[in-house]
């Protein structure tokens, strides 16, 4: 999806996701040496909230239907899924390795809806994420999910298995959603950067930059076969 978005955004935002240095060649992608300063930053779009068309069939049920029309929220990616969150809300997700009461930042903000100084709501869409935006959460407790019954059966094979399992969950609270500066540094470990510090996608080698051990970087493998 990110690769597809990079090709779609190359004409609109030069440098946005052009850091991968890919060019189309038939059914494959051939890597070319990327530029040292090509980093996907400031790749977003801010639009106003448009009014939906009037629907007369649901006009009676509209006042009983929950709506996010006057709500500030964000779309955050965590635990491999995308979730709609707002400040003060409590949510449950897969297990997060943190002690109860600790503060954790979720910095993969895909979409952000905020109220401006003029009182109007504006929607900011990241391509794919908003740089400098994050959600600060507080870990409340760790708990187990409800029992999930799993039954496997193979016809005509005299095989059937039944067992029950539970999953570890984490309950947390959204303290605040922050997006102040585009140049705000991303705190924490970055396991999948677009580029290395030297502007390439090659993995860091020990002693290449004066360190005894390289930083824990992992990058996309570059195809080396001939097309």
């Amino acid at each position: 999806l990110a690769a597809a978005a990079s090709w779609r955004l190359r004409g609109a935002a030069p440098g946005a996701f052009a850091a991968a240095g890919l060019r189309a060649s038939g059914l494959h992608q051939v890597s070319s040496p990327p530029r040292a300063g090509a980093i996907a930053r400031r790749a977003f779009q801010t639009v106003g909230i448009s009014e939906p068309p009037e629907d007369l069939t649901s006009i009676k049920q509209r006042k009983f239907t929950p709506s996010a029309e006057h709500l500030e929220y964000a779309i955050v990616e965590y635990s491999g899924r995308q979730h709609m969150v707002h400040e003060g809300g409590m949510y449950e997700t897969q297990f997060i390795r943190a002690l109860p009461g600790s503060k954790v930042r979720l910095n993969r903000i895909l979409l952000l809806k905020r109220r401006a100084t003029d009182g109007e709501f504006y929607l900011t869409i990241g391509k794919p994420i908003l740089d400098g935006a994050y959600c600060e959460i507080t870990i409340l407790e760790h708990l187990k999910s409800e029992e999930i019954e799993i039954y496997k059966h193979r016809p005509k094979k005299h095989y059937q298995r039944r067992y029950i399992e539970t999953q570890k969950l984490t309950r947390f609270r959204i303290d605040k959603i922050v997006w102040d500066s585009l140049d705000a540094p991303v705190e924490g470990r970055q396991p999948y950067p677009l580029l290395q510090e030297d502007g390439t996608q090659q993995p860091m080698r020990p002693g290449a930059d004066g360190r005894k051990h390289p930083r824990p970087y992992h990058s996309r493998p570059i195809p080396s076969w001939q097309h």
Side-chain angles (χ1 to χ4, degrees):
L1 181 60
S6 65
W7 292 110
R8 198 180 312 117
L9 299 176
R10 176 165 296 187
F17 286 95
L22 300 177
R23 54 185 176 86
S25 175
L27 299 178
H28 305 279
Q29 292 178 345
V30 182
S31 298
S32 59
R35 303 189 309 273
I39 297 180
R41 296 190 66 87
R42 296 177 176 85
F44 63 90
Q45 181 182 4
T46 302
V47 296
I49 304 297
S50 60
E51 292 292 335
E54 187 178 5
D55 185 12
L56 299 179
T57 60
S58 62
I59 190 172
K60 294 183 179 180
Q61 292 83 11
R62 195 172 303 164
K63 59 181 179 180
F64 303 105
T65 305
S67 174
E69 181 180 359
H70 304 287
L71 181 67
E72 297 184 9
Y73 62 87
I75 304 297
V76 190
E77 180 181 352
Y78 60 85
S79 298
R81 298 178 178 88
Q82 299 179 9
H83 303 267
M84 174 182 172
V85 299
H86 61 88
E87 292 187 0
M90 292 187 294
Y91 305 91
E92 293 180 359
T93 182
Q94 298 179 3
F95 179 73
I96 299 177
R97 192 176 296 275
L99 294 176
S102 59
K103 301 288 185 178
V104 180
R105 283 189 177 183
L106 306 177
N107 51 20
R108 292 192 59 87
I109 308 295
L110 307 179
L111 182 144
L112 186 61
K113 180 184 176 183
R114 304 178 71 181
R115 186 193 297 269
T117 55
D118 56 356
E120 297 293 333
F121 287 95
Y122 291 93
L123 200 66
T124 305
I125 305 172
K127 300 180 180 181
I129 62 175
L130 295 175
D131 297 298
Y134 63 90
C135 289
E136 186 172 307
I137 68 174
T138 300
I139 304 297
L140 299 180
E141 61 176 339
H142 299 295
L143 62 156
K144 289 185 178 182
S145 66
E146 297 181 355
E147 293 184 351
I148 303 175
E149 182 178 354
I150 301 176
Y151 178 76
K152 297 181 179 181
H153 170 67
R154 297 178 183 176
K156 304 177 183 179
K157 298 298 181 182
H158 301 281
Y159 176 88
Q160 60 178 355
R161 294 291 185 272
R162 176 185 176 272
Y163 57 93
I164 297 176
E165 69 173 17
T166 58
Q167 297 179 352
K168 292 183 179 180
L169 301 178
T170 298
R171 182 175 297 163
F172 62 91
R173 181 183 66 244
I174 302 289
D175 295 334
K176 58 182 179 179
I177 302 175
V178 183
W179 189 43
D180 294 333
S181 175
L182 294 174
D183 299 323
V186 179
E187 298 186 7
R189 181 169 176 262
Q190 304 179 21
Y192 302 103
L194 291 178
L195 290 177
Q196 306 292 351
E197 291 182 344
D198 55 353
T200 64
Q201 289 184 328
Q202 301 297 330
M204 300 290 289
R205 303 298 180 184
D209 53 350
R211 299 188 183 94
K212 183 179 180 181
H213 302 286
R215 291 187 177 183
Y217 280 145
H218 306 278
S219 61
R220 175 185 60 84
I222 299 177
S224 57
W225 59 83
Q226 299 294 331
H227 294 287

